Amino acid sequence: MKLPIKPIWDTTKKYAGIIWRVDAVKSLAITWLIRVGIPSGIVGIGVAIADAVNGSVQ
């Protein structure tokens, strides 16, 4: 049996976009990424890109 990947992917993107709009989630993601050793400048760029993709930029 083959899984319908496209509907699963679309639903995942929809809910990830909703979750990403919560400021506490962004803060947690930034903290975790810095703790695992990713430089803060790269994390900041990643957050800015994620905001732009999800339409959170105001």
Side-chain angles (χ1 to χ4, degrees), residues 24-49:
V25 172
K26 289 181 193 177
S27 178
L28 181 65
I30 291 168
T31 302
W32 182 81
L33 289 171
I34 291 172
R35 280 186 184 172
V36 297
I38 298 175
S40 60
I42 293 174
V43 172
I45 292 169
V47 169
I49 291 171

Side-chain angles (χ1 to χ4, degrees), residues 6-7 9 14-15 17 19 21-22 27 32 34 37-38 41 47 55 57:
K6 176 121 175 74
W9 178 248
K14 174 185 168 187
Y15 287 113
I19 291 169
R21 289 186 179 110
V22 177
S27 178
W32 182 81
I34 291 172
I38 298 175
V47 169
V57 177

